[in-house]
Amino acid sequence: MELTILDEIKNQLFPLQKEEMELLEESILKEGIREPLIVWNNNGKQILVDGHNRYEIARKHNLSFTTITKEFADIDEAIDWINKNQLGRRNLTDEQRKYLIGKIYNQQKKKHGGNRGNQYAGKISEVAKCNFCTLPNTENTKKETAEKLSDTTKYSPRTIKNCGDFAEAVEKVKEISPVAAQKILQGEIKDAITALPQITRKEPEKLPEVVKKIEQGSQKVKEAVKEIRKEEEIKKAEIVTLPPVIDIRHGDFREVLKDIKEVDAIITDPPYPAEYLYLWEDLGKFAKEKLKEGGYLVAYTGQYHLLEVLSMLSKSIDYVWTFCLYHEGQTQIVNGINVMCRWKPVLIFQKGKTKFTRTIQDYIVSEQREKDGHDWQQSMSGVKKFIELFTDVSDTVCDPFTGSGTTAEACKQLKRKFVGAEIDEETYKIAVGRVGVNI
């Protein structure tokens, strides 16, 4: 029997991995095709609906098979049946399950007039009343669809709607790269369920590049986006120039900042791991040499090597206080002692210890963690606060570990002069691209 294969139907099915296909073929050659194939008799054509892999093996080895005919009103009804049938399969990945639920939700929502592309679709009898107009109550329809699926899938209505967004995002990926879509559905992209819909909704222009990164081996959507943004900043560095009040230099601060004169404050975030501890003693010497009398060194640090850091800096400059920088939102675990870290010490040293000229609070809230430019990047909100506390407008701020340019950008916004150094060439370019202006 010759069956008709429709791409519209075949593309709905999850392809077997090579090893799975080989095992199926081995089993069929030993035991035959035991389960019937599902076909749809559409105007005399026997369209294959379920059993594509078994049909392929049957044709390859000239094996016999049986069929069961199902009736469908149209292709959409056939696809709806396929999605529900696949949902009953064992060993689905979480991505595959939520993709199927999302497709079923989107299909039913479309049938019931909840298509987002037409806010007036739906049954005219279902209306939303207000003081000025009468419109179809599509919101209630969507809610009913999600609640109905919630009863059968055990997911909340909110999760059902999120599944719908995920399914739409995967369909967009499929149009660009079926290979990337398969990686997503196989569970190889760890944050795809949550991050992929955000990109397709908020930054759709980045989706082709994200898909390319997934094809090349990125295992997270957020990692792909981060890499794309880095590349954009690096390219931007070639076509911008730094403002006259911003001076970012490429190289080791101990070399490239030798010529700078006295600065009003050093605000910096040196690396925390043990292999970089020697830099803290050099930072103390640098601060003693380059700060104006009474100028402040404001240094972010971690807790793990806090005693060594305090000891090294104290050899050259006077300790004043330790501020708490509190992290809102997501935090990270310090694996060495199994602690969820929600704050960061910020050490205040001074060249010639004096009393603060005004009463200040030693608790600063970092509103949002920012890691687009560098893994160790600090939030703009925290840096701005320290600049405002320890400098005045037109003062000069130095950052010997400029990184991706957060302190430089904050100085630009707050009308301070800036001079700094970054030893890593790629990160240096990111900083220039971030702070620079078009030529």
Side-chain angles (χ1 to χ4, degrees):
M1 181 189 297
E2 281 291 325
L3 302 179
T4 299
I5 307 294
L6 294 183
D7 288 341
E8 288 175 275
I9 287 179
K10 188 177 180 180
N11 292 340
Q12 304 298 320
L13 304 168
F14 298 132
L16 293 181
Q17 298 296 309
K18 182 180 177 182
E19 297 80 4
E20 293 175 315
M21 191 66 173
E22 289 172 351
L23 288 172
L24 177 62
E25 185 172 10
E26 182 182 337
S27 173
I28 286 175
L29 290 175
K30 285 181 180 179
E31 304 177 18
I33 300 177
R34 295 178 297 178
E35 295 183 14
L37 280 58
I38 307 299
V39 299
W40 168 30
N41 186 349
N42 183 29
N43 295 325
K45 286 185 178 180
Q46 298 295 309
I47 298 172
L48 183 58
V49 174
D50 183 64
H52 289 71
N53 296 314
R54 284 170 283 156
Y55 182 58
E56 181 181 331
I57 294 168
R59 295 187 68 188
K60 179 180 177 181
H61 298 284
N62 197 26
L63 302 175
S64 61
F65 57 87
T66 59
T67 64
I68 292 177
T69 301
K70 282 192 172 290
E71 298 298 328
F72 302 108
D74 52 31
I75 188 73
D76 286 340
E77 189 173 304
I79 290 173
D80 196 43
W81 181 89
I82 290 167
N83 290 331
K84 291 175 181 176
N85 185 55
Q86 287 195 103
L87 199 53
R89 282 176 48 185
R90 296 179 181 179
N91 302 324
L92 289 175
T93 66
D94 193 35
E95 288 79 5
Q96 288 172 337
R97 185 171 300 280
K98 288 184 175 177
Y99 169 68
L100 287 172
I101 291 171
K103 287 211 297 179
I104 293 167
Y105 168 69
N106 291 338
Q107 184 71 10
Q108 292 184 7
K109 181 182 66 175
K110 184 178 179 181
K111 282 182 180 179
H112 297 152
N115 189 344
R116 293 175 186 176
N118 182 357
Q119 62 177 326
Y120 302 111
K123 297 178 181 178
I124 300 302
S125 60
E126 297 173 352
V127 296
K129 296 180 180 178
C130 68
N131 292 332
F132 308 103
C133 61
T134 301
L135 295 175
N137 193 349
T138 56
E139 194 59 42
N140 283 345
T141 301
K142 286 190 285 185
K143 183 178 179 182
E144 289 169 5
T145 302
E147 287 180 349
K148 188 180 294 185
L149 278 174
S150 177
D151 293 337
T152 57
T153 63
K154 308 304 179 186
Y155 286 128
S156 71
R158 179 68 263 170
T159 300
I160 298 290
K161 293 177 182 179
N162 289 340
C163 289
D165 292 337
F166 176 59
E168 287 182 1
V170 172
E171 292 302 315
K172 288 183 173 68
V173 172
K174 273 188 178 181
E175 293 173 6
I176 302 168
S177 167
V179 172
Q182 185 173 348
K183 282 188 171 188
I184 290 166
L185 293 173
Q186 287 294 335
E188 297 178 27
I189 312 304
K190 306 303 180 185
D191 62 348
I193 292 173
T194 55
L196 192 63
Q198 291 181 6
I199 291 299
T200 55
R201 185 170 57 252
K202 296 179 180 179
E203 299 179 279
E205 72 284 354
K206 282 190 171 62
L207 187 60
E209 283 298 314
V210 169
V211 170
K212 184 178 178 181
K213 295 291 183 187
I214 289 173
E215 282 185 331
Q216 293 172 346
S218 291
Q219 294 184 335
K220 287 186 176 181
V221 173
K222 288 183 179 178
E223 284 180 358
V225 173
K226 182 178 175 182
E227 188 63 29
I228 291 165
R229 286 176 178 156
K230 279 187 178 181
E231 291 169 358
E232 289 173 348
E233 293 292 357
I234 290 171
K235 289 179 182 177
K236 187 180 174 185
E238 300 172 359
I239 59 171
V240 299
T241 186
L242 291 172
V245 294
I246 304 294
D247 181 3
I248 304 176
R249 306 177 185 183
H250 174 222
D252 188 320
F253 76 95
R254 294 165 296 189
E255 297 298 325
V256 299
L257 297 181
K258 276 183 176 179
D259 64 322
I260 69 169
K261 305 301 180 183
E262 290 183 331
V263 297
D264 297 283
I266 297 172
I267 300 177
T268 191
D269 182 27
Y272 308 156
E275 60 264 34
Y276 299 109
L277 277 173
Y278 69 94
L279 290 171
W280 289 91
E281 188 165 347
D282 292 335
L283 175 62
K285 293 175 183 176
F286 179 83
K288 182 179 180 180
E289 179 184 351
K290 299 299 182 182
L291 279 174
K292 292 179 179 178
E293 192 65 30
Y296 289 97
L297 166 63
V298 179
Y300 289 57
T301 186
Q303 288 92 331
Y304 206 79
H305 300 293
L306 184 56
L307 288 179
E308 296 100 313
V309 167
L310 283 165
S311 175
M312 290 178 181
L313 291 178
S314 296
K315 291 178 182 179
S316 302
I317 194 167
D318 297 319
Y319 170 74
V320 177
W321 203 253
T322 300
F323 276 55
C324 166
L325 183 67
Y326 175 76
H327 299 300
E328 282 193 341
Q330 185 181 0
T331 57
Q332 62 182 8
I333 189 168
V334 182
N335 291 315
I337 52 174
N338 202 27
V339 168
M340 289 299 297
C341 182
R342 296 197 65 86
W343 72 286
K344 183 183 298 295
V346 179
L347 306 177
I348 313 299
F349 281 76
Q350 190 178 22
K351 184 175 180 178
K353 187 174 181 179
T354 61
K355 182 179 179 180
F356 292 141
T357 56
R358 55 195 174 92
T359 302
I360 59 177
Q361 181 173 286
D362 62 3
Y363 178 88
I364 306 295
V365 175
S366 177
E367 296 175 358
Q368 184 179 357
R369 297 183 69 197
E370 299 159 8
K371 303 293 179 185
D372 288 341
H374 194 283
D375 289 340
W376 297 339
Q377 182 177 334
Q378 296 299 332
S379 71
M380 178 66 73
S381 61
V383 173
K384 276 186 169 183
K385 188 64 178 177
F386 285 114
I387 290 173
E388 289 172 333
L389 284 174
F390 293 102
T391 67
D392 295 318
V393 171
S394 297
D395 278 357
T396 298
V397 175
C398 176
D399 185 351
F401 305 92
T402 295
S404 59
T406 301
T407 304
E409 176 63 23
C411 286
K412 178 181 170 184
Q413 294 180 19
L414 296 173
K415 296 181 173 53
R416 271 71 166 175
K417 302 182 186 74
F418 176 86
V419 59
E422 174 51 44
I423 197 168
D424 180 76
E425 184 177 6
E426 183 179 274
T427 309
Y428 160 77
K429 288 180 179 179
I430 291 170
V432 172
R434 180 181 183 182
V435 184
V437 293
N438 291 330
I439 299 173

